[in-house]
Amino acid sequence: QGKILADEWNSNKETLDKNKDGIMQYVLLKGPVNSPETIARTKYSIQTINDLGIKTQELSSITCNWDEECARTAIESNLLTLDGKIEAIIANNDAMAIGAVKALQKYGYNTGGNSKYIPVVGVDALPEAQALIKQGAMTGTVVQDPQTHANAIYTIGMNLSSGNPPLNGTNYKFDETGITVELPYYEYLK
């Protein structure tokens, strides 16, 4: 997500940097508070943008527990209270990104052209998100290949059931927690 937003920012900075301060002001739509996915998706999205040389400022962070309707109402509210300050929306999943796009479109954003456009990114590559990306209403999403995911679950499960270390005979690695296995994500763009 961070790379998608950084690329979009660098390609369209004149349009996207509404207040011309060189800082990406964003709204974050988060999953459940204690979810490892929420924590990782939030941390690494922002860290990637910063690592690519773009300063960021969080305008608002809303926990919507993967819910589209919560995201839609939260973004509608933020559009009114933050009055033109939002330069990007980062959603921890596509359902919330879809809700954000619906809210934006209600107020004339992301309907075509760049004049009223706020980049929105999600995770999962849901069919509805893919359609919004093809229409240009959503910037992008990231997808974890289901075959890779299934193979990892199967291999780790077989190792554990055989009494072997979980990652025995694999190229998988644990993240810094020692619990989560790192699997690749891929960008889904127009």
Side-chain angles (χ1 to χ4, degrees):
Q1 289 179 298
K3 184 179 178 315
I4 293 168
L5 280 178
D7 290 348
E8 183 75 10
W9 181 263
N10 289 330
S11 297
N12 300 299
K13 190 172 180 180
E14 283 298 312
T15 306
L16 298 178
D17 189 8
K18 293 177 174 55
N19 61 1
K20 309 299 180 212
D21 66 353
I23 300 169
M24 182 188 298
Q25 279 87 18
Y26 66 90
V27 171
L28 183 62
L29 296 168
K30 299 189 322 187
V33 174
N34 294 323
S35 164
E37 289 175 312
T38 297
I39 295 163
R41 290 175 184 183
T42 299
K43 175 184 175 183
Y44 293 115
S45 295
I46 304 309
Q47 182 178 317
T48 300
I49 295 167
N50 295 152
D51 288 350
L52 291 169
I54 300 167
K55 292 179 182 172
T56 55
Q57 178 187 5
E58 184 176 281
L59 298 175
S60 180
S61 174
I62 306 106
T63 299
C64 278
N65 299 316
W66 315 127
D67 184 65
E68 178 182 324
E69 183 61 21
C70 172
R72 186 187 62 73
T73 57
I75 294 302
E76 283 183 16
S77 173
N78 274 251
L79 282 170
L80 299 173
T81 59
L82 295 171
D83 193 29
K85 294 177 183 158
I86 302 170
E87 297 173 337
I89 298 173
I90 303 168
N92 285 163
N93 80 339
D94 278 348
M96 294 185 296
I98 291 163
V101 170
K102 288 179 179 178
L104 291 170
Q105 289 180 329
K106 178 178 176 179
Y107 289 95
Y109 289 87
N110 296 28
T111 58
N114 283 339
S115 62
K116 285 186 79 173
Y117 181 75
I118 296 173
V120 178
V121 292
V123 177
D124 295 327
L126 294 178
E128 188 176 354
Q130 291 178 30
L132 289 170
I133 291 165
K134 287 176 186 166
Q135 296 165 15
M138 186 170 152
T139 310
T141 186
V142 291
V143 62
Q144 194 169 47
D145 177 42
Q147 187 65 43
T148 301
H149 201 138
N151 288 340
I153 292 169
Y154 176 78
T155 303
I156 292 167
M158 291 304 288
N159 278 336
L160 291 171
S161 68
S162 301
N164 294 320
L167 305 184
N168 188 48
T170 73
N171 292 326
Y172 306 131
K173 293 182 173 89
F174 285 117
D175 69 1
E176 68 273 1
T177 66
I179 299 168
T180 304
V181 175
E182 295 179 342
L183 296 174
Y185 282 88
Y186 305 96
E187 294 179 358
Y188 185 94
L189 306 164
K190 185 173 181 181

